[in-house]
Each structure stands twice: as structure tokens, then as C-alpha cells.
Amino acid sequence: MFKDNRFISYNAAGFQKDMIAGITEGIVAIPLGMAFAIASGVKPEYGLYTTIIAGFLVALFGGSRFQIAGPTDAFIPILLAIVLQYGYEDLLIAGMMAGVFLLLMSFLGVSQLIHFVPRSITIGFTTGIAVIIFTGQLGNFLGLTGLSNHEFFHENIAGLINQIHTINGYSIVTALIGLAVILLLPKIAPRIPLLLVALLIPTIVSFLFFPGQVETIGSAFGGIPRTLTSFHLPHITLSKLITLWQPALIIAALGAIESLLSAVVADGMKNGEKHNSKKELFGQGIANLITPLFGGIPATGAIARTATNIRSGAVSPVSGMVQSAFVLGFLVVFAPYASFIPLASMAPILMYVAWNMSARHAFVHILSLRSSDSIVLLTTFLLTVFINLTVAVQIGILLAALSFLKKMSGKLAIVPQKLSDVEKLKFGDGGKTVRKFAIDGPLFFGTAKRFEESYPKMLLEEESVVILDLEHLAMMDATGEATLFAMLDEAERKAIEIKIKRLPKEKTAILKRSGLNNKIGKENFFM
């Protein structure tokens, strides 16, 4: 179905490079997989299952040579909202539905439409997600007890304030050690896997010096099994499909945007590389359809980890498959030891990820423009934080569309022009008054009212001739056609002849289909 050129000229040397890159990626994926799962309101092992299964399937079926897929930070707020509102079982169904939507996107070839999402929207919800992730880890950083996750941001902040009296000094020390590692290790030893070390050192310190004083994965979730979960088909009903289609579509759209952006970043890092967008969405669809059958949560391409994969020397999708195998090996061998990991050691890791994903510089830049983009950005950001991502994206796109229509409505210009000598001789016989107007810009539903209001100016004198120069007519939709029809009817009542000059060839077919061609008359077209 899709031609795969990603393994052309693959050899033993390439496999060796992929092994190194895959193991490096696996080391990075382990703490992130668990952290993202916990932040999404599910058990940490589900993040590992997602890394193993989705990572392997996207590498096998995807359209990018270097894409690394798995659970990502961008999904955290929407997955948490689904878990809180519907439960883990319905999250699996939503993930499978998202997989179906991604497959439909691939087959329908809508991958190019993703690029039409305004940057103000993507920056707005990305920064909003970063704020939610960052503040969501304050409880673990401070070691607060008695907290519960809520659907809305203000409720979670209120919970933090109400439970501030339960602050745990040992948790703060653990988190600060992890934060210090994150800030200092890149300067001292940049080649060492940062996030794994930032997880291990505070874990070892807490285990040796104050055991049992901070909450761990074991105390919170009962430990991590040493095997993959068995195949399980969620209980799917029509009512659940109707209820979950909207969050599933948001997961699919967000996953498509993230994965294609990640693939574009990979192309840019490897000059001459070109991913296959349709195949990439196909791979993401397969991964999200199958992963929930084994307990995994929705996944997409991870930009930062894909970049790490390339920097580690990867040459093919085999590196992604090696990553999955490495994480599976960790699960089988070391899963029991993961029970000792303090939640406080995961807090600075997620805060670090949130800080890096926040797009704060782009946010400030767009906001400083004080334009319609600034309004779209701020609205999308605030709705993401205080309501949810689904509403934010919908309202953001609506505002962006209205802004676009407003800008386009100002693009239509109806300009009086001087007649040429030829036009005076040709149409001015019998003492008729001849007037000419250039229609410059789009004639569509956003500009139709403006065009209609120009009738009195153009159809001024009865029994005259009006020339419409359409050389620069950018586009015309059904509303534009109807408005032009109405103008012709008005001209007919006043016995005014309408002549069409320099109609672009591509617009001729539109006039023929609508019947305007016949109404105007073939003899009334000229160049």
C-alpha cells in the first residue's frame, strides 16, 4: 500500500549505529514513560507498555526514518480529563478511536491540512499544556498528601493551597536533588543520560538516608509488573462511541500535528531527508489502534526524543525498534526496583519537560504583536488552562477563521478605471455612457455584502454600459456567484449592459457551471 524506502542500502554498520541510538533512547524513554503515565492519571507501567508497543509499531509502519513515538507531554491534560470523567477503560476506547481517525486521515490524504492550523493556536495550547504539567507536579515536589486530581485547573490549585500544611521536607530535598542534577549535569557531563540520572540519584539518596519518608511508585501504585499485560478488548458500546468521539478526535488531531511536526524536525536535522506524511499518519493510526489492546495509552511522535535519536547516530527505523526492545528488557528485569522511585524525583523531570515545551519565547513574541493572532493565542492559552484542550482548539480555530475572514473581506477592491480609446469606440456608440471597474480580490461570502453595497455606485445610469475587469479576481464561491447574479438582474432591470473583461481562464469553468456564462452572454466577454 505504501512504498517503504527507509531501509534502502541498510547494512551491518547501520545496525550497530541503530543499536547504540536505540539503547540511548530507551534509557531516556523509561523515566519519561512512567512520568507521563502518572501525570495522565494512570499507572506508570501503562506508560512503559505504550513506549514498547507504540514505539515499535510507529517505527515499523511509519513514514519517517527517525521518528520515536510513545506517550508525550502534549497528551497529559486531555488524557487526565478523560480518566477523571470517564475512567481508564474509556481512555483505551478513546485511544482506539483516535487510531481509527488517524487511519482515515492517512487514507483521505488530509495530512497537508495540519499545516493550516495557525501557529498562534499551536503555541497557545502548547504553552497552556506546559502550565498544567508544571503546576500539576507541585504537589509531588512538596510532598503534599490528601490531594486528588480534578478536571479544572482552579480546582487543582485550590487543592494545593488547602493541603499546603501537609508539606514534606524529605520530598522537597528529594526533588531539589533531582532538580540540581537536571541543571548541573549537562554542564559537567553532557553525554550522560540526563533524565535517568536525575531519577536514579534522588531515588538512591531517599532510599539510603530517609527510607519510608517519601511516597514512592510502590506505595502509590503497588509496584510495576515484570510482564506486558495480556490482550484485552475494552467493552465498546454505541453510547461510548458517541460520548468519546470528540475527545478521540482531539487526540487524533493533536497526535497528527505532533507527529508530523516531529517528522519535519527530523527532516531538517537530516538534510535531504523527506518523510511520507500519509505513511506517518498510517503508522500512528496502527499504533494507537493496537496499543490500547495491551493497556497502553495514546501515543504520538516525540519531537525531543526524535532529535535525540538522530544525535545518537540513528540511520533507520531499527533504532526505534531497539528502543522498544530495551524498555521491554528493563520491564522484565528491573521492574521490581522501580517501586522504590519517589514521586518527588519525577516532579522535577516533568517540570523540566514542561519548561522546555512551553514555547515561552514564541508566546511572548506573538503576544507583543497586539494583533488578531495575539487574541487567538491568549484565548487558546487561557481556555486550555482553565477549561480544556478540546474547547480551546475549537474556539481557537473559530477565532482564527473569523479573523481570516475579516482580513479577506478587506481584500476586495472595486476600483473605477479609465476607458481605453478602443473601449470608448466599441461600447460608446449611440451616446451611451460607459463606465469601467476593476474587481480586485476574492468574491466570496465574506466580501459579498461589500460587493452588493457597491451596486448603486456601479449601476448609476440607466441604458448605459458597465465593464467589469476581472483580471485580478482572486476567487469566487457560491455566494459570490449569487451576488454577481443579483447584480446582473439589477442591471437588466435598468437596461444596463454588463461587459466582462479579461476573465481568468480558471474562472471560466465556474461561470459555466453556475449558469452565469449564459446569463452574461458569450458576446459580452472580451480581452
Side-chain angles (χ1 to χ4, degrees):
M1 180 172 57
F2 294 109
K3 187 177 181 180
D4 197 342
N5 299 319
R6 299 176 301 156
F7 297 95
I8 291 177
S9 303
Y10 194 63
N11 53 33
F15 179 72
Q16 185 177 5
K17 292 179 180 179
D18 282 335
M19 285 289 292
I20 295 171
I23 291 171
T24 303
E25 267 305 311
I27 291 171
V28 173
I30 290 166
L32 288 180
M34 292 188 292
F36 290 157
I38 292 172
S40 299
V42 300
K43 295 181 178 180
E45 60 263 32
Y46 298 149
L48 296 179
Y49 299 160
T50 307
T51 301
I52 294 166
I53 300 169
F56 185 88
L57 292 174
V58 168
L60 182 61
F61 295 108
S64 171
R65 192 184 299 268
F66 306 104
Q67 185 80 280
I68 296 295
T72 65
D73 42 16
F75 278 155
I76 288 174
I78 191 167
L79 300 191
L80 179 60
I82 293 173
V83 170
L84 291 175
Q85 191 170 355
Y86 305 108
Y88 169 65
E89 181 86 358
D90 284 1
L91 173 63
L92 299 182
I93 296 174
M96 294 178 68
M97 291 175 68
V100 173
F101 285 135
L102 284 164
L103 289 174
L104 288 174
M105 290 180 189
S106 173
F107 293 134
L108 295 175
V110 299
S111 57
Q112 296 303 316
L113 295 179
I114 301 299
H115 301 296
F116 289 96
V117 178
R119 191 163 184 260
S120 54
I121 293 178
T122 57
I123 296 297
F125 74 64
T126 299
T127 308
I129 289 169
V131 169
I132 293 171
I133 295 172
F134 192 95
T135 56
Q137 292 306 306
L138 290 174
N140 288 333
F141 196 101
L142 300 174
L144 304 184
T145 58
L147 289 176
S148 57
N149 288 319
H150 298 281
E151 185 177 354
F152 296 108
F153 177 80
H154 69 278
E155 294 175 335
N156 288 312
I157 295 300
L160 288 173
I161 296 171
N162 291 336
Q163 296 303 117
I164 196 68
H165 64 280
T166 66
I167 195 168
N168 184 334
Y170 294 110
S171 290
I172 294 176
V173 170
T174 301
L176 287 175
I177 292 172
L179 182 60
V181 172
I182 290 172
L183 295 177
L184 298 176
L185 188 62
K187 300 176 182 178
I188 301 170
R191 293 186 176 275
I192 293 178
L194 173 64
L195 298 184
L196 185 64
V197 175
L199 189 68
L200 288 177
I201 290 180
T203 298
I204 293 170
V205 170
S206 67
F207 179 76
L208 293 178
F209 295 100
F210 38 87
Q213 298 300 313
V214 295
E215 190 169 32
T216 63
I217 286 178
S219 62
F221 301 100
I224 296 177
R226 299 180 66 167
T227 59
L228 281 172
T229 187
S230 57
F231 177 90
H232 169 67
L233 181 65
H235 181 59
I236 301 173
T237 63
L238 180 60
S239 62
K240 286 186 177 183
L241 295 178
I242 294 172
T243 300
L244 296 170
W245 78 267
Q246 196 169 26
L249 185 58
I250 291 293
I251 292 172
L254 185 58
I257 292 171
E258 288 285 310
S259 63
L260 293 179
L261 282 177
S262 180
V264 169
V265 169
D267 290 348
M269 293 180 69
K270 284 286 189 177
N271 292 332
E273 185 66 27
K274 186 69 176 176
H275 73 279
N276 184 322
S277 297
K278 287 187 178 182
K279 194 169 186 295
E280 180 60 29
L281 292 186
F282 176 79
Q284 297 289 341
I286 290 292
N288 281 283
L289 183 60
I290 294 177
T291 301
L293 298 174
F294 296 91
I297 59 179
T300 187
I303 297 174
R305 288 167 54 201
T306 297
T308 301
N309 186 41
I310 294 173
R311 294 192 193 102
S312 301
V315 297
S316 82
V318 171
S319 62
M321 301 176 195
V322 171
Q323 175 218 230
S324 295
F326 182 85
V327 176
L328 178 60
F330 167 84
L331 186 70
V332 172
V333 178
F334 295 105
Y337 301 103
S339 299
F340 298 106
I341 297 174
L343 299 185
S345 68
M346 300 186 114
I349 290 175
L350 283 168
M351 288 176 165
Y352 169 75
V353 169
W355 180 258
N356 284 337
M357 77 170 289
S358 63
R360 54 197 180 277
H361 299 301
F363 186 94
V364 171
H365 171 69
I366 296 174
L367 200 60
S368 67
L369 297 177
R370 297 188 179 183
S371 63
S372 58
D373 284 331
S374 305
I375 297 173
V376 172
L377 172 86
L378 194 58
T379 302
T380 305
F381 168 76
L382 292 174
L383 288 175
T384 298
V385 173
F386 291 102
I387 306 297
N388 59 54
L389 185 61
T390 304
V391 173
V393 171
Q394 290 175 340
I395 299 298
I397 289 176
L398 177 60
L399 286 177
L402 291 174
S403 172
F404 173 76
L405 291 176
K406 185 177 180 182
K407 290 176 183 176
M408 289 296 289
S409 65
K411 296 290 185 180
L412 180 69
I414 303 163
V415 185
Q417 290 192 324
K418 288 181 65 175
L419 295 170
S420 68
D421 292 336
V422 173
E423 289 167 343
K424 289 178 182 177
L425 290 171
K426 188 174 183 179
F427 303 116
D429 59 315
K432 288 183 179 178
T433 302
V434 182
R435 309 180 74 217
K436 183 168 74 169
F437 299 89
I439 310 300
D440 191 347
L443 182 55
F444 72 121
F445 66 91
T447 59
K449 183 66 175 176
R450 183 173 182 178
F451 186 71
E452 187 178 322
E453 290 171 349
S454 69
Y455 292 173
K457 179 178 70 174
M458 291 191 288
L459 307 178
L460 194 59
E461 298 180 42
E462 296 186 359
E463 297 185 1
S464 61
V465 176
V466 172
I467 300 171
L468 299 181
D469 187 340
L470 302 184
E471 181 182 14
H472 299 293
L473 179 66
M475 64 160 286
M476 184 165 62
D477 69 352
T479 306
E481 292 172 5
T483 309
L484 192 51
F485 254 116
M487 179 188 179
L488 293 172
D489 288 338
E490 180 72 14
E492 194 175 325
R493 282 193 293 271
K494 293 185 176 182
I496 297 173
E497 297 177 43
I498 300 294
K499 309 292 182 180
I500 304 296
K501 180 179 181 181
R502 295 191 293 192
L503 177 70
K505 288 184 179 179
E506 64 271 17
K507 305 296 188 300
T508 305
I510 299 175
L511 296 192
K512 286 180 178 178
R513 287 196 300 269
S514 64
L516 275 169
N517 203 59
N518 294 330
K519 188 172 182 64
I520 295 169
K522 187 177 180 180
E523 69 281 1
N524 291 318
F525 289 86
F526 72 102
M527 297 303 290

